[in-house]
Amino acid sequence: MPGLHARMAARGGDFTAAVVARCAAEVPFYRELPRRTLEGEVTRSITAVHELLLRALRQDGVMDPGDLTRLIEWSGRRAEERVPLEAVIAAYLVGAEVWWQVLAETAEPEELTGAGAKLLACLHAAMPAVVLAHRNAQEDIRSEDKRVRRALLTALLAGRPYDEPEEAAGVSVAGPHEVVALSFEPNPPPRLVQSSLEAHAGVPVLVDHVAGIALLPGGCDLPGLWEALGKDVGKGHRVFAAAAPAAGPGAVPAAAQEAGRVLELVQRLGRPPGLYRLDDVLLEYQLARPGDALLRLAAKLDPLEEHPYLLETLRVFVDHGHNRSRSASELCVHRNTLDYRLHRVTTLTGLDPAVPAEARLLQAALVARDLV
């Protein structure tokens, strides 16, 4: 189609201008680009695609292998520039629509069917290659992003210099943070957890999915984060989280240790899923230090070993804040029965739950028993 090729070549300026204008008006990514970028790199790319389509008009085959290679190379470059795949596809489809409109205005009736078939054949050959190339490049970028972000988090947790990995990751770690230790039963896909964390925080989040440690910005709504994780990973998962504040990057190692110890403690104690801080388990945290004192404290309840119903009664009584009515209701017994059992606890252990000092000792002994 040499005549049509010449006429379409003369319309190159109209084609390029129309595609740039429509992309800027209809595609959100291009709408946000500065004018100089639209008039520069974007216009050059559309002009190159116009030339490719012109060559397809002139040749017998659908698309020259060299042209397909160039399309793949351009797609990889767009991915490296962080152009979203949906924006790339939208731009190609806008270009195809404008090309057809220009064809309809320029071609003779007998030329239009063949030219339209060539356009569709070009799209059929180009689009799968463009999508595959873009996705492969995006996966390479994601892998590299994960590597440098993991290196940054590793440096922060170890208290090592982090300037170089911070620059490579393109993530600022200045200012306060919340270090969060996470545990899931069972484990969900890491990508799902990453997406949930970043959607809630609104920024890229550094996560070590193997160690279960995440670094979130200070002031983040952590109770809301725990609820969001529970919804995102699904009802079949139990989500445990422990958080500790870090005033700055230098405080991250100590905060990570604190969060990890709190998480381990609440799981050892059989606490329900939730978000915990050190203040929630201060007594338990202190008692968890190994030593003779912990063993002797736990031994205070040894006389109840052969009376499991008395241990259960004491635990319910403590859990309900020494409220007799609520404790009796929980145990499904009469209050007189509850009082009798508590009296038996006093007789066997020598500690009276009605005496504040001895009640605190009994509570601590229950915790120690759970820990040894």
Side-chain angles (χ1 to χ4, degrees):
M1 302 181 184
L4 180 58
H5 174 276
R7 296 194 300 276
M8 288 295 292
R11 299 286 304 272
D14 297 338
F15 169 79
T16 299
V19 175
V20 171
R22 281 194 55 184
C23 284
E26 300 172 17
V27 183
F29 173 81
Y30 291 100
R31 190 184 304 137
E32 301 298 323
L33 291 179
R35 174 56 57 181
R36 63 179 180 276
T37 303
L38 290 171
E39 295 175 349
E41 179 63 25
V42 173
T43 294
R44 287 191 293 272
S45 296
I46 294 171
T47 300
V49 172
H50 177 256
E51 292 171 354
L52 181 152
L53 290 170
L54 283 175
R55 285 192 292 276
L57 267 183
R58 188 166 49 189
Q59 62 196 22
D60 294 333
V62 175
M63 184 178 292
D64 184 88
D67 285 334
L68 192 57
T69 299
R70 276 186 284 276
L71 277 180
I72 292 172
E73 192 274 329
W74 293 341
S75 297
R77 194 185 310 164
R78 295 293 88 80
E80 291 171 359
E81 294 168 353
R82 309 304 173 106
V83 180
L85 178 58
E86 58 269 23
V88 172
I89 294 174
Y92 272 100
L93 293 178
V94 166
E97 289 180 16
V98 174
W99 176 262
W100 174 252
Q101 289 169 359
V102 176
L103 270 176
E105 296 169 1
T106 307
E108 299 294 336
E110 65 273 13
E111 297 172 320
L112 198 55
T113 300
K118 281 186 175 290
L119 172 61
L120 291 175
C122 284
L123 284 175
H124 185 75
M127 295 310 295
V130 166
V131 171
L132 181 61
H134 199 97
R135 284 184 171 169
N136 287 342
Q138 282 183 323
E139 190 58 40
D140 290 343
I141 293 167
R142 279 195 292 267
S143 296
E144 180 61 15
D145 285 346
K146 290 178 184 176
R147 186 191 67 78
V148 296
R149 290 180 182 178
R150 190 162 51 244
L152 173 57
L153 182 57
T154 299
L156 288 167
L157 292 172
R160 298 199 305 264
Y162 57 86
D163 292 347
E164 288 187 11
E166 180 184 36
E167 182 178 357
V171 177
S172 175
V173 294
H177 296 87
E178 290 283 356
V179 182
V180 181
L182 295 165
S183 178
F184 302 89
E185 299 174 2
N187 287 322
R191 183 172 292 183
L192 180 59
V193 175
Q194 185 82 43
S195 300
S196 180
L197 289 171
E198 294 185 347
H200 186 79
V203 295
V205 175
L206 301 179
V207 187
D208 184 333
H209 293 282
V210 176
I213 289 288
L215 191 67
L216 288 105
C220 185
D221 174 18
L222 294 185
L225 171 66
W226 176 78
E227 292 178 3
L229 279 171
K231 292 177 182 177
D232 292 342
V233 302
K235 292 183 179 179
H237 294 77
R238 289 156 50 88
V239 183
F240 297 84
V252 167
Q257 288 185 358
E258 179 181 309
R261 287 171 182 164
V262 170
L263 179 63
E264 179 187 8
L265 182 59
V266 298
Q267 291 184 295
R268 283 176 61 190
L269 292 170
R271 295 291 177 85
L275 172 73
Y276 295 86
R277 289 190 180 273
L278 179 57
D279 284 351
D280 298 318
V281 288
L282 271 178
L283 174 64
E284 296 87 344
Y285 190 90
Q286 188 63 31
L287 288 174
R289 297 173 180 272
D292 291 341
L294 181 65
L295 295 174
R296 290 179 63 180
L297 186 58
K300 294 289 184 182
L301 299 180
D302 283 353
L304 305 183
E305 186 69 38
E306 296 180 2
H307 308 280
Y309 71 97
L310 294 180
L311 266 175
E312 179 192 16
T313 298
L314 178 60
R315 191 179 296 279
V316 169
F317 186 63
V318 168
D319 288 346
H320 284 288
H322 298 185
N323 185 298
R324 279 174 160 74
S325 297
R326 290 168 57 197
S327 300
S329 176
E330 174 74 17
L331 292 166
C332 299
V333 299
H334 193 274
R335 277 193 55 171
N336 290 341
T337 303
L338 175 71
D339 289 340
Y340 170 76
R341 291 183 181 182
L342 292 176
H343 177 71
R344 289 279 291 151
V345 169
T346 301
T347 300
L348 292 170
T349 65
L351 299 170
D352 188 350
V355 178
E358 295 179 9
R360 288 194 295 271
L361 191 58
L362 283 168
Q363 181 177 358
L366 284 169
V367 174
R369 186 179 178 85
D370 290 336
L371 292 172
V372 296

